[in-house]
């Protein structure tokens, strides 16, 4: 992906980025049918594409995707977002606390009430290496977030 991993040419590479997110997130669906957690957005008509993953606890959700807003700032386009709306269960705050006391805390970005974790990949990674690197990072963050 070369410069795309630091925010360059994100819209030009949109089909590739969407496919990468689709492949990586599908690995985390478990027994959940992909159709019940479909890809959302498309980077062409919207500045993002993402997929929710199965909840990490009651009403506590994460999304993994590409956000052009961050890429436009020269950051990685790949992010895991901890959703702030937990229907009042306190799941978001509990997961956020686990995240903020982890080694990843210095990388967490708070924006619009959500917590965002950058998913950085090597610019010279090929398809399988890139998917593996992203999947490993997603798995690491999920382990931190789970109660």
């Amino acid at each position: 992906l070369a410069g795309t991993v630091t925010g360059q040419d994100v819209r030009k590479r949109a089909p590739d980025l969407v496919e990468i997110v689709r492949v990586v997130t599908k690995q985390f669906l478990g027994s959940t049918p992909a159709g019940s957690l479909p890809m959302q957005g498309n980077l062409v008509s919207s500045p993002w594409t993402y997929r929710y993953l199965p909840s990490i606890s009651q009403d506590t959700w994460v999304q993994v995707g590409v956000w052009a807003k961050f890429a436009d700032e020269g950051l990685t386009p790949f992010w895991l977002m901890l959703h702030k709306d937990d229907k009042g269960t306190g799941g978001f705050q509990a997961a956020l606390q686990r995240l903020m006391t982890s080694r990843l805390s210095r990388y967490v970005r708070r924006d619009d009430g959500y917590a965002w974790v950058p998913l950085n990949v090597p610019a010279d990674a090929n398809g399988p290496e890139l998917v593996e690197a992203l999947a490993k990072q997603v798995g690491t963050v999920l382990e931190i977030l789970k109660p």
Side-chain angles (χ1 to χ4, degrees):
L1 291 177
T4 307
V5 299
T6 56
Q8 301 171 17
D9 300 324
V10 167
R11 284 166 187 82
K12 185 167 38 169
R13 298 295 304 266
D16 298 325
L17 298 173
V18 170
E19 180 61 12
I20 290 166
V21 169
R22 188 192 67 72
V23 170
V24 168
T25 55
K26 190 173 181 182
Q27 297 178 36
F28 293 93
L29 295 180
S31 62
T32 305
S36 65
L37 293 172
M39 293 293 296
Q40 299 183 36
N42 64 17
L43 282 181
V44 175
S45 63
S46 61
W48 60 79
T49 190
Y50 61 86
R51 174 182 274 161
Y52 279 99
L53 298 183
S55 65
I56 55 174
S57 64
Q58 184 179 357
D59 294 319
T60 306
W61 297 86
V62 298
Q63 301 170 352
V64 173
V66 174
W67 280 270
K69 171 185 176 178
F70 299 140
D72 290 345
E73 296 173 15
L75 303 171
T76 177
F78 300 108
W79 291 76
L80 182 146
M81 188 262 282
L82 176 61
H83 203 283
K84 66 183 178 182
D85 183 11
D86 61 10
K87 311 262 190 273
T89 64
F92 171 77
Q93 286 300 325
L96 179 62
Q97 182 177 5
R98 287 189 293 278
L99 184 60
M100 297 310 291
T101 58
S102 77
R103 62 182 174 79
L104 297 178
S105 64
R106 68 178 185 231
Y107 305 110
V108 174
R109 176 176 175 150
R110 297 297 307 275
D111 194 18
D112 196 26
Y114 302 100
W116 303 82
V117 180
L119 303 171
N120 294 297
V121 294
D124 62 347
N126 66 25
E129 290 172 337
L130 190 134
V131 167
E132 184 179 327
L134 279 174
K136 183 177 180 181
Q137 289 178 65
V138 170
T140 297
V141 178
L142 291 176
E143 285 303 312
I144 291 168
L145 296 175
K146 289 180 183 174

PDB file of all heavy atoms in Angstrom, residues 6-34:
ATOM      1  N   THR A   6       0.052   5.821   5.374  1.00  0.00           N
ATOM      2  CA  THR A   6       0.238   7.090   6.088  1.00  0.00           C
ATOM      3  C   THR A   6      -0.703   8.151   5.529  1.00  0.00           C
ATOM      4  O   THR A   6      -0.415   9.334   5.555  1.00  0.00           O
ATOM      5  CB  THR A   6       1.696   7.585   6.006  1.00  0.00           C
ATOM      6  OG1 THR A   6       2.079   7.689   4.624  1.00  0.00           O
ATOM      7  CG2 THR A   6       2.627   6.659   6.742  1.00  0.00           C
ATOM      8  N   GLY A   7      -1.832   7.718   5.018  1.00  0.00           N
ATOM      9  CA  GLY A   7      -2.877   8.641   4.634  1.00  0.00           C
ATOM     10  C   GLY A   7      -2.888   9.109   3.200  1.00  0.00           C
ATOM     11  O   GLY A   7      -3.795   9.822   2.802  1.00  0.00           O
ATOM     12  N   GLN A   8      -1.927   8.731   2.400  1.00  0.00           N
ATOM     13  CA  GLN A   8      -1.898   9.197   1.018  1.00  0.00           C
ATOM     14  C   GLN A   8      -2.756   8.302   0.115  1.00  0.00           C
ATOM     15  O   GLN A   8      -2.812   7.091   0.312  1.00  0.00           O
ATOM     16  CB  GLN A   8      -0.459   9.197   0.492  1.00  0.00           C
ATOM     17  CG  GLN A   8       0.477  10.066   1.287  1.00  0.00           C
ATOM     18  CD  GLN A   8       1.922   9.868   0.865  1.00  0.00           C
ATOM     19  OE1 GLN A   8       2.201   9.335  -0.192  1.00  0.00           O
ATOM     20  NE2 GLN A   8       2.845  10.300   1.703  1.00  0.00           N
ATOM     21  N   ASP A   9      -3.394   8.903  -0.848  1.00  0.00           N
ATOM     22  CA  ASP A   9      -4.141   8.166  -1.876  1.00  0.00           C
ATOM     23  C   ASP A   9      -5.217   7.230  -1.338  1.00  0.00           C
ATOM     24  O   ASP A   9      -5.536   6.227  -1.960  1.00  0.00           O
ATOM     25  CB  ASP A   9      -3.187   7.356  -2.765  1.00  0.00           C
ATOM     26  CG  ASP A   9      -2.175   8.223  -3.473  1.00  0.00           C
ATOM     27  OD1 ASP A   9      -2.545   9.347  -3.854  1.00  0.00           O
ATOM     28  OD2 ASP A   9      -1.023   7.782  -3.629  1.00  0.00           O
ATOM     29  N   VAL A  10      -5.791   7.560  -0.195  1.00  0.00           N
ATOM     30  CA  VAL A  10      -6.783   6.678   0.405  1.00  0.00           C
ATOM     31  C   VAL A  10      -7.991   6.499  -0.508  1.00  0.00           C
ATOM     32  O   VAL A  10      -8.458   5.382  -0.718  1.00  0.00           O
ATOM     33  CB  VAL A  10      -7.205   7.180   1.801  1.00  0.00           C
ATOM     34  CG1 VAL A  10      -8.432   6.474   2.299  1.00  0.00           C
ATOM     35  CG2 VAL A  10      -6.051   7.002   2.773  1.00  0.00           C
ATOM     36  N   ARG A  11      -8.490   7.585  -1.057  1.00  0.00           N
ATOM     37  CA  ARG A  11      -9.679   7.456  -1.911  1.00  0.00           C
ATOM     38  C   ARG A  11      -9.359   6.728  -3.214  1.00  0.00           C
ATOM     39  O   ARG A  11     -10.186   5.985  -3.730  1.00  0.00           O
ATOM     40  CB  ARG A  11     -10.290   8.824  -2.149  1.00  0.00           C
ATOM     41  CG  ARG A  11     -11.047   9.295  -0.895  1.00  0.00           C
ATOM     42  CD  ARG A  11     -11.384  10.762  -0.926  1.00  0.00           C
ATOM     43  NE  ARG A  11     -11.957  11.219   0.316  1.00  0.00           N
ATOM     44  CZ  ARG A  11     -11.260  11.554   1.401  1.00  0.00           C
ATOM     45  NH1 ARG A  11      -9.958  11.461   1.402  1.00  0.00           N
ATOM     46  NH2 ARG A  11     -11.865  11.975   2.490  1.00  0.00           N
ATOM     47  N   LYS A  12      -8.174   6.915  -3.731  1.00  0.00           N
ATOM     48  CA  LYS A  12      -7.781   6.226  -4.956  1.00  0.00           C
ATOM     49  C   LYS A  12      -7.657   4.720  -4.715  1.00  0.00           C
ATOM     50  O   LYS A  12      -7.953   3.917  -5.581  1.00  0.00           O
ATOM     51  CB  LYS A  12      -6.455   6.786  -5.472  1.00  0.00           C
ATOM     52  CG  LYS A  12      -6.040   6.204  -6.798  1.00  0.00           C
ATOM     53  CD  LYS A  12      -4.914   6.921  -7.518  1.00  0.00           C
ATOM     54  CE  LYS A  12      -3.822   7.450  -6.679  1.00  0.00           C
ATOM     55  NZ  LYS A  12      -2.658   7.909  -7.445  1.00  0.00           N
ATOM     56  N   ARG A  13      -7.246   4.342  -3.516  1.00  0.00           N
ATOM     57  CA  ARG A  13      -7.075   2.929  -3.179  1.00  0.00           C
ATOM     58  C   ARG A  13      -8.277   2.367  -2.422  1.00  0.00           C
ATOM     59  O   ARG A  13      -8.222   1.293  -1.838  1.00  0.00           O
ATOM     60  CB  ARG A  13      -5.815   2.745  -2.324  1.00  0.00           C
ATOM     61  CG  ARG A  13      -4.498   3.130  -2.966  1.00  0.00           C
ATOM     62  CD  ARG A  13      -4.097   2.277  -4.156  1.00  0.00           C
ATOM     63  NE  ARG A  13      -4.027   0.859  -3.903  1.00  0.00           N
ATOM     64  CZ  ARG A  13      -2.929   0.197  -3.558  1.00  0.00           C
ATOM     65  NH1 ARG A  13      -1.801   0.826  -3.397  1.00  0.00           N
ATOM     66  NH2 ARG A  13      -2.974  -1.102  -3.381  1.00  0.00           N
ATOM     67  N   ALA A  14      -9.380   3.100  -2.427  1.00  0.00           N
ATOM     68  CA  ALA A  14     -10.563   2.713  -1.652  1.00  0.00           C
ATOM     69  C   ALA A  14     -10.988   1.262  -1.861  1.00  0.00           C
ATOM     70  O   ALA A  14     -11.229   0.556  -0.880  1.00  0.00           O
ATOM     71  CB  ALA A  14     -11.724   3.667  -1.938  1.00  0.00           C
ATOM     72  N   PRO A  15     -11.092   0.771  -3.092  1.00  0.00           N
ATOM     73  CA  PRO A  15     -11.528  -0.630  -3.237  1.00  0.00           C
ATOM     74  C   PRO A  15     -10.605  -1.615  -2.521  1.00  0.00           C
ATOM     75  O   PRO A  15     -11.069  -2.578  -1.920  1.00  0.00           O
ATOM     76  CB  PRO A  15     -11.514  -0.856  -4.753  1.00  0.00           C
ATOM     77  CG  PRO A  15     -11.664   0.515  -5.339  1.00  0.00           C
ATOM     78  CD  PRO A  15     -10.940   1.431  -4.397  1.00  0.00           C
ATOM     79  N   ASP A  16      -9.295  -1.367  -2.579  1.00  0.00           N
ATOM     80  CA  ASP A  16      -8.336  -2.259  -1.912  1.00  0.00           C
ATOM     81  C   ASP A  16      -8.500  -2.190  -0.398  1.00  0.00           C
ATOM     82  O   ASP A  16      -8.491  -3.212   0.285  1.00  0.00           O
ATOM     83  CB  ASP A  16      -6.894  -1.873  -2.270  1.00  0.00           C
ATOM     84  CG  ASP A  16      -6.613  -2.001  -3.751  1.00  0.00           C
ATOM     85  OD1 ASP A  16      -7.165  -2.921  -4.384  1.00  0.00           O
ATOM     86  OD2 ASP A  16      -5.848  -1.177  -4.272  1.00  0.00           O
ATOM     87  N   LEU A  17      -8.648  -0.978   0.130  1.00  0.00           N
ATOM     88  CA  LEU A  17      -8.776  -0.802   1.574  1.00  0.00           C
ATOM     89  C   LEU A  17     -10.060  -1.443   2.102  1.00  0.00           C
ATOM     90  O   LEU A  17     -10.050  -2.078   3.157  1.00  0.00           O
ATOM     91  CB  LEU A  17      -8.732   0.678   1.926  1.00  0.00           C
ATOM     92  CG  LEU A  17      -7.433   1.402   1.556  1.00  0.00           C
ATOM     93  CD1 LEU A  17      -7.569   2.892   1.789  1.00  0.00           C
ATOM     94  CD2 LEU A  17      -6.258   0.831   2.314  1.00  0.00           C
ATOM     95  N   VAL A  18     -11.141  -1.280   1.372  1.00  0.00           N
ATOM     96  CA  VAL A  18     -12.414  -1.887   1.770  1.00  0.00           C
ATOM     97  C   VAL A  18     -12.289  -3.412   1.786  1.00  0.00           C
ATOM     98  O   VAL A  18     -12.750  -4.073   2.718  1.00  0.00           O
ATOM     99  CB  VAL A  18     -13.557  -1.430   0.833  1.00  0.00           C
ATOM    100  CG1 VAL A  18     -14.827  -2.222   1.077  1.00  0.00           C
ATOM    101  CG2 VAL A  18     -13.803   0.067   0.995  1.00  0.00           C
ATOM    102  N   GLU A  19     -11.645  -3.964   0.793  1.00  0.00           N
ATOM    103  CA  GLU A  19     -11.471  -5.409   0.735  1.00  0.00           C
ATOM    104  C   GLU A  19     -10.607  -5.908   1.897  1.00  0.00           C
ATOM    105  O   GLU A  19     -10.892  -6.939   2.503  1.00  0.00           O
ATOM    106  CB  GLU A  19     -10.863  -5.832  -0.606  1.00  0.00           C
ATOM    107  CG  GLU A  19     -10.652  -7.323  -0.757  1.00  0.00           C
ATOM    108  CD  GLU A  19     -11.927  -8.158  -0.673  1.00  0.00           C
ATOM    109  OE1 GLU A  19     -13.045  -7.630  -0.723  1.00  0.00           O
ATOM    110  OE2 GLU A  19     -11.801  -9.393  -0.544  1.00  0.00           O
ATOM    111  N   ILE A  20      -9.567  -5.174   2.230  1.00  0.00           N
ATOM    112  CA  ILE A  20      -8.706  -5.555   3.352  1.00  0.00           C
ATOM    113  C   ILE A  20      -9.512  -5.575   4.644  1.00  0.00           C
ATOM    114  O   ILE A  20      -9.430  -6.532   5.424  1.00  0.00           O
ATOM    115  CB  ILE A  20      -7.500  -4.602   3.452  1.00  0.00           C
ATOM    116  CG1 ILE A  20      -6.556  -4.851   2.270  1.00  0.00           C
ATOM    117  CG2 ILE A  20      -6.780  -4.769   4.781  1.00  0.00           C
ATOM    118  CD1 ILE A  20      -5.517  -3.764   2.067  1.00  0.00           C
ATOM    119  N   VAL A  21     -10.301  -4.540   4.869  1.00  0.00           N
ATOM    120  CA  VAL A  21     -11.128  -4.489   6.077  1.00  0.00           C
ATOM    121  C   VAL A  21     -12.131  -5.638   6.080  1.00  0.00           C
ATOM    122  O   VAL A  21     -12.347  -6.281   7.105  1.00  0.00           O
ATOM    123  CB  VAL A  21     -11.840  -3.123   6.207  1.00  0.00           C
ATOM    124  CG1 VAL A  21     -12.898  -3.156   7.301  1.00  0.00           C
ATOM    125  CG2 VAL A  21     -10.826  -2.021   6.469  1.00  0.00           C
ATOM    126  N   ARG A  22     -12.728  -5.926   4.950  1.00  0.00           N
ATOM    127  CA  ARG A  22     -13.692  -7.026   4.859  1.00  0.00           C
ATOM    128  C   ARG A  22     -13.045  -8.353   5.239  1.00  0.00           C
ATOM    129  O   ARG A  22     -13.583  -9.119   6.043  1.00  0.00           O
ATOM    130  CB  ARG A  22     -14.277  -7.113   3.452  1.00  0.00           C
ATOM    131  CG  ARG A  22     -15.432  -8.106   3.331  1.00  0.00           C
ATOM    132  CD  ARG A  22     -15.812  -8.385   1.887  1.00  0.00           C
ATOM    133  NE  ARG A  22     -14.762  -9.094   1.168  1.00  0.00           N
ATOM    134  CZ  ARG A  22     -14.434 -10.377   1.339  1.00  0.00           C
ATOM    135  NH1 ARG A  22     -15.064 -11.112   2.232  1.00  0.00           N
ATOM    136  NH2 ARG A  22     -13.481 -10.935   0.642  1.00  0.00           N
ATOM    137  N   VAL A  23     -11.856  -8.613   4.699  1.00  0.00           N
ATOM    138  CA  VAL A  23     -11.164  -9.880   4.960  1.00  0.00           C
ATOM    139  C   VAL A  23     -10.738  -9.972   6.431  1.00  0.00           C
ATOM    140  O   VAL A  23     -10.934 -11.003   7.083  1.00  0.00           O
ATOM    141  CB  VAL A  23      -9.945 -10.035   4.022  1.00  0.00           C
ATOM    142  CG1 VAL A  23      -9.073 -11.215   4.441  1.00  0.00           C
ATOM    143  CG2 VAL A  23     -10.406 -10.200   2.586  1.00  0.00           C
ATOM    144  N   VAL A  24     -10.169  -8.893   6.955  1.00  0.00           N
ATOM    145  CA  VAL A  24      -9.705  -8.908   8.349  1.00  0.00           C
ATOM    146  C   VAL A  24     -10.876  -9.075   9.309  1.00  0.00           C
ATOM    147  O   VAL A  24     -10.834  -9.916  10.212  1.00  0.00           O
ATOM    148  CB  VAL A  24      -8.897  -7.630   8.673  1.00  0.00           C
ATOM    149  CG1 VAL A  24      -8.654  -7.498  10.168  1.00  0.00           C
ATOM    150  CG2 VAL A  24      -7.576  -7.634   7.922  1.00  0.00           C
ATOM    151  N   THR A  25     -11.917  -8.287   9.132  1.00  0.00           N
ATOM    152  CA  THR A  25     -13.025  -8.344  10.091  1.00  0.00           C
ATOM    153  C   THR A  25     -13.785  -9.664  10.026  1.00  0.00           C
ATOM    154  O   THR A  25     -14.313 -10.120  11.039  1.00  0.00           O
ATOM    155  CB  THR A  25     -13.997  -7.169   9.896  1.00  0.00           C
ATOM    156  OG1 THR A  25     -14.460  -7.149   8.538  1.00  0.00           O
ATOM    157  CG2 THR A  25     -13.320  -5.851  10.230  1.00  0.00           C
ATOM    158  N   LYS A  26     -13.837 -10.259   8.867  1.00  0.00           N
ATOM    159  CA  LYS A  26     -14.540 -11.540   8.734  1.00  0.00           C
ATOM    160  C   LYS A  26     -13.934 -12.589   9.664  1.00  0.00           C
ATOM    161  O   LYS A  26     -14.642 -13.453  10.179  1.00  0.00           O
ATOM    162  CB  LYS A  26     -14.497 -12.019   7.285  1.00  0.00           C
ATOM    163  CG  LYS A  26     -15.393 -13.185   7.008  1.00  0.00           C
ATOM    164  CD  LYS A  26     -15.455 -13.521   5.533  1.00  0.00           C
ATOM    165  CE  LYS A  26     -16.393 -14.681   5.310  1.00  0.00           C
ATOM    166  NZ  LYS A  26     -16.435 -15.071   3.911  1.00  0.00           N
ATOM    167  N   GLN A  27     -12.637 -12.479   9.927  1.00  0.00           N
ATOM    168  CA  GLN A  27     -11.953 -13.424  10.816  1.00  0.00           C
ATOM    169  C   GLN A  27     -12.462 -13.340  12.254  1.00  0.00           C
ATOM    170  O   GLN A  27     -12.282 -14.267  13.025  1.00  0.00           O
ATOM    171  CB  GLN A  27     -10.448 -13.149  10.815  1.00  0.00           C
ATOM    172  CG  GLN A  27      -9.773 -13.350   9.497  1.00  0.00           C
ATOM    173  CD  GLN A  27      -8.298 -12.998   9.569  1.00  0.00           C
ATOM    174  OE1 GLN A  27      -7.639 -13.228  10.578  1.00  0.00           O
ATOM    175  NE2 GLN A  27      -7.771 -12.452   8.497  1.00  0.00           N
ATOM    176  N   PHE A  28     -13.072 -12.210  12.625  1.00  0.00           N
ATOM    177  CA  PHE A  28     -13.492 -11.988  14.002  1.00  0.00           C
ATOM    178  C   PHE A  28     -14.995 -12.146  14.217  1.00  0.00           C
ATOM    179  O   PHE A  28     -15.490 -11.888  15.302  1.00  0.00           O
ATOM    180  CB  PHE A  28     -13.040 -10.599  14.470  1.00  0.00           C
ATOM    181  CG  PHE A  28     -11.555 -10.486  14.574  1.00  0.00           C
ATOM    182  CD1 PHE A  28     -10.811 -10.015  13.505  1.00  0.00           C
ATOM    183  CD2 PHE A  28     -10.892 -10.900  15.714  1.00  0.00           C
ATOM    184  CE1 PHE A  28      -9.431  -9.935  13.585  1.00  0.00           C
ATOM    185  CE2 PHE A  28      -9.512 -10.829  15.799  1.00  0.00           C
ATOM    186  CZ  PHE A  28      -8.775 -10.343  14.728  1.00  0.00           C
ATOM    187  N   LEU A  29     -15.702 -12.586  13.200  1.00  0.00           N
ATOM    188  CA  LEU A  29     -17.152 -12.734  13.322  1.00  0.00           C
ATOM    189  C   LEU A  29     -17.554 -13.987  14.084  1.00  0.00           C
ATOM    190  O   LEU A  29     -18.670 -14.065  14.603  1.00  0.00           O
ATOM    191  CB  LEU A  29     -17.810 -12.725  11.945  1.00  0.00           C
ATOM    192  CG  LEU A  29     -17.702 -11.417  11.166  1.00  0.00           C
ATOM    193  CD1 LEU A  29     -18.401 -11.549   9.818  1.00  0.00           C
ATOM    194  CD2 LEU A  29     -18.260 -10.252  11.960  1.00  0.00           C
ATOM    195  N   GLY A  30     -16.671 -14.966  14.151  1.00  0.00           N
ATOM    196  CA  GLY A  30     -17.009 -16.210  14.838  1.00  0.00           C
ATOM    197  C   GLY A  30     -18.221 -16.853  14.192  1.00  0.00           C
ATOM    198  O   GLY A  30     -18.285 -16.986  12.978  1.00  0.00           O
ATOM    199  N   SER A  31     -19.210 -17.201  14.984  1.00  0.00           N
ATOM    200  CA  SER A  31     -20.414 -17.844  14.455  1.00  0.00           C
ATOM    201  C   SER A  31     -21.448 -16.837  13.965  1.00  0.00           C
ATOM    202  O   SER A  31     -22.507 -17.223  13.473  1.00  0.00           O
ATOM    203  CB  SER A  31     -21.035 -18.745  15.524  1.00  0.00           C
ATOM    204  OG  SER A  31     -21.428 -17.962  16.637  1.00  0.00           O
ATOM    205  N   THR A  32     -21.139 -15.550  14.086  1.00  0.00           N
ATOM    206  CA  THR A  32     -22.066 -14.515  13.626  1.00  0.00           C
ATOM    207  C   THR A  32     -22.045 -14.457  12.099  1.00  0.00           C
ATOM    208  O   THR A  32     -20.986 -14.283  11.508  1.00  0.00           O
ATOM    209  CB  THR A  32     -21.662 -13.126  14.184  1.00  0.00           C
ATOM    210  OG1 THR A  32     -21.580 -13.212  15.605  1.00  0.00           O
ATOM    211  CG2 THR A  32     -22.643 -12.060  13.767  1.00  0.00           C
ATOM    212  N   PRO A  33     -23.179 -14.600  11.443  1.00  0.00           N
ATOM    213  CA  PRO A  33     -23.203 -14.518   9.977  1.00  0.00           C
ATOM    214  C   PRO A  33     -22.766 -13.127   9.512  1.00  0.00           C
ATOM    215  O   PRO A  33     -23.167 -12.113  10.095  1.00  0.00           O
ATOM    216  CB  PRO A  33     -24.670 -14.768   9.617  1.00  0.00           C
ATOM    217  CG  PRO A  33     -25.300 -15.348  10.836  1.00  0.00           C
ATOM    218  CD  PRO A  33     -24.499 -14.874  12.005  1.00  0.00           C
ATOM    219  N   ALA A  34     -21.930 -13.080   8.482  1.00  0.00           N
ATOM    220  CA  ALA A  34     -21.426 -11.801   7.968  1.00  0.00           C
ATOM    221  C   ALA A  34     -22.570 -10.865   7.585  1.00  0.00           C
ATOM    222  O   ALA A  34     -22.444  -9.648   7.727  1.00  0.00           O
ATOM    223  CB  ALA A  34     -20.506 -12.039   6.773  1.00  0.00           C
TER     224      ALA A  34
END
